[in-house]
């Protein structure tokens, strides 16, 4: 997958503009195939789209000509005739985060099963890039869009919806009720992390957060504060260390600030695993023992969490299910029975996966 786009499973249409098989650079169309094979254009079309209507001998002959000339069907031409794209778009915050890669995998499996391809794009948490991609999706008349919004105002999505293309929010609740959404209960997730740490005897905590406009960041903090209150601890027991981005480098920076505190907390809850891995690197380099001197809990449970120098305790999000369920809702809304579709707001539950980073003495 790349920042620009990635398509899969696209194979439809009947016109083409493709280099000839011998490397001549000539654009080959369906009429060229028919002329070379000595059959009608209709016969070639049947070979491509309805092969059961063609005799085995003719089928073999025409397919041989298609292979020799290097003819490939044009998806854009097919879309013009059918008025429907076979591409679903997915716009995520950060393709460098394995959590979003897993969302993409879940969405792709569902899309491919329905005969669609997925174009994956990366907003890089930038509202401007998000707006540009949404405009591109509208121009391409994609079947629908799965999006984790970067624009806190929601203006980009409101503008996009005027095109009448279905969209589903992923890892975010649709606050305006204008479409479907699939999210994880991050308040519960934040509570799980801090409950685990208070049960282990910790009484002072840091929350390494991320960009404050992201609802997930705020929800995880809310859950953490609820768990503190349940344990009879004041909100002041949680010190927030904001991170500019949700990546390892920002985690290392937060770790350096953590080490500079006059009164260090004994436990750290990070808004995602990449931040937690960066904090772990900073503590390890400074000789701070994890978990004996400081416990760490991450969020997402990406593959690298279990493979860290000190295996990372993390709040697991069902990323594959997030992507698959969102794609299912989009297919329902964009399908033949779209008029019967009713918007749904699916909320999945996280779970805590305990590893050595939070188990002192183990």
């Amino acid at each position: 997958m790349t920042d620009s786009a990635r398509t899969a499973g696209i194979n439809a249409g009947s016109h083409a503009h493709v280099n000839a098989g011998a490397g001549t650079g000539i654009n080959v169309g369906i009429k060229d195939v028919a002329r070379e094979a000595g059959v009608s254009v209709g016969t070639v079309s049947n070979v491509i789209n309805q092969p059961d209507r063609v005799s085995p001998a003719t089928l073999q002959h025409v397919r041989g000509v298609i292979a020799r000339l290097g003819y490939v069907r044009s998806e854009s031409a097919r879309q013009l005739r059918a008025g429907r794209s076979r591409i679903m778009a997915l716009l995520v915050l950060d393709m460098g985060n394995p959590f979003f890669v897993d969302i993409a995998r879940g969405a792709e499996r569902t899309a491919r099963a329905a005969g669609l391809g997925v174009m994956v794009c990366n907003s890089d948490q930038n509202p401007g890039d998000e707006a540009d991609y949404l405009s591109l999706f509208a121009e391409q008349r994609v079947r629908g869009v799965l999006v984790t919004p970067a624009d806190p105002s929601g203006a980009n999505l409101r503008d996009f919806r005027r095109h009448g293309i279905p969209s589903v929010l992923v890892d975010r609740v649709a606050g305006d009720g204008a479409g479907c959404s699939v999210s994880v209960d991050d308040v519960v997730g934040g509570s799980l992390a801090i409950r685990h740490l208070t049960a282990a005897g910790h009484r002072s905590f840091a929350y390494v957060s991320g960009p404050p406009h992201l609802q997930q960041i705020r929800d995880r903090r809310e859950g953490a504060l609820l768990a503190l209150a349940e344990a009879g601890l004041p909100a002041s027991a949680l010190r927030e260390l904001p991170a500019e981005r949700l990546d390892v480098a920002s985690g290392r920076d937060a770790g350096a600030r953590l080490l500079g505190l006059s009164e260090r907390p004994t436990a750290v809850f990070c808004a995602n695993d990449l931040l937690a891995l960066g904090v772990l690197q900073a503590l390890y380099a400074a000789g701070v023992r994890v978990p004996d001197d400081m416990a760490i809990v991450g969020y997402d449970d990406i593959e690298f969490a279990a493979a860290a120098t000190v295996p990372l305790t993390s709040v697991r999000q069902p990323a594959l299910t997030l992507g698959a369920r969102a794609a299912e809702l989009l297919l329902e809304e964009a399908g033949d029975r779209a008029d019967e579709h009713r918007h749904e707001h699916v909320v999945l539950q996280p779970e805590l996966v305990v590893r050595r980073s939070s188990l002192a003495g183990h």
Side-chain angles (χ1 to χ4, degrees):
M1 298 181 193
T2 68
D3 284 357
S4 56
R6 177 178 175 286
T7 58
I10 307 165
N11 56 0
S14 61
H15 293 306
H17 305 293
V18 186
N19 289 339
T24 62
I26 300 172
N27 288 333
V28 179
I30 194 169
K31 291 181 180 178
D32 300 310
V33 175
R35 187 183 307 112
E36 182 73 13
V39 298
S40 69
V41 170
T43 298
V44 178
S45 179
N46 283 337
V47 167
I48 295 167
N49 299 304
Q50 297 176 297
D52 56 316
R53 299 183 62 178
V54 184
S55 70
T58 301
L59 190 66
Q60 182 178 1
H61 171 62
V62 174
R63 281 179 171 170
V65 173
I66 287 172
R68 188 168 70 253
L69 295 183
Y71 171 85
V72 179
R73 293 173 290 182
S74 167
E75 173 66 9
S76 59
R78 190 207 64 80
Q79 285 179 210
L80 284 173
R81 289 190 307 279
R84 304 184 75 192
S85 170
R86 292 181 63 192
I87 298 295
M88 175 188 299
L90 170 62
L91 181 57
V92 299
L93 291 176
D94 180 9
M95 281 308 296
N97 187 338
F99 169 68
F100 289 110
V101 175
D102 284 343
I103 285 178
R105 287 173 56 207
E108 183 180 39
R109 288 176 186 175
T110 299
R112 285 175 64 87
L116 302 184
V118 179
M119 177 167 60
V120 183
C121 300
N122 176 36
S123 71
D124 202 29
Q125 303 177 42
N126 186 316
D129 288 351
E130 177 182 82
D132 289 343
Y133 275 121
L134 290 173
S135 293
L136 173 65
F137 301 156
E139 290 171 9
Q140 296 297 317
R141 302 300 299 176
V142 296
R143 182 73 64 91
V145 175
L146 307 175
V147 58
T148 303
D151 174 21
S153 74
N156 286 342
L157 268 177
R158 285 194 296 273
D159 288 344
F160 176 76
R161 287 180 181 133
R162 293 183 301 181
H163 298 287
I165 299 173
S167 62
V168 175
L169 297 191
V170 183
D171 195 32
R172 191 75 55 85
V173 177
D176 57 6
C180 291
S181 65
V182 183
S183 61
V184 173
D185 193 330
D186 286 311
V187 174
V188 168
S191 295
L192 287 173
I194 298 300
R195 281 177 189 156
H196 169 66
L197 292 170
T198 57
H202 294 282
R203 294 295 179 266
S204 61
F205 312 84
Y207 175 43
V208 177
S209 61
H213 68 269
L214 295 178
Q215 187 63 46
Q216 299 96 318
I217 302 301
R218 299 197 298 270
D219 285 350
R220 291 165 197 177
R221 182 178 184 275
E222 180 184 342
L225 292 175
L226 286 173
L228 288 181
E230 289 173 5
L233 296 170
S236 59
L238 184 72
R239 176 157 186 172
E240 185 168 358
L241 298 175
E244 226 176 88
R245 297 179 60 83
L246 295 168
D247 56 22
V248 174
S250 294
R252 285 195 296 267
D253 174 72
R257 284 181 281 145
L258 184 63
L259 290 167
L261 296 176
S262 56
E263 294 184 15
R264 290 182 189 171
T266 61
V268 186
F269 170 41
C270 299
N272 79 353
D273 285 342
L274 296 182
L275 289 172
L277 292 172
V279 170
L280 179 61
Q281 288 178 10
L283 297 184
Y284 185 82
V288 176
R289 297 173 302 164
V290 175
D292 298 291
D293 298 331
M294 195 174 295
I296 301 178
V297 175
Y299 206 103
D300 291 340
D301 194 35
I302 62 175
E303 184 178 354
F304 300 125
T309 305
V310 179
L312 185 65
T313 293
S314 184
V315 178
R316 175 179 293 165
Q317 297 202 80
L320 286 170
T321 304
L322 266 174
R325 188 70 185 100
E328 288 170 4
L329 291 174
L330 190 63
L331 288 172
E332 289 175 14
E333 187 173 356
D336 295 331
R337 302 175 67 179
D339 56 334
E340 300 175 16
H341 175 79
R342 297 293 178 269
H343 293 323
E344 293 184 46
H345 305 295
V346 178
V347 180
L348 305 174
Q349 293 301 308
E351 62 177 307
L352 184 72
V353 180
V354 178
R355 300 190 181 94
R356 192 156 60 89
S357 72
S358 62
L359 296 174
H362 289 261

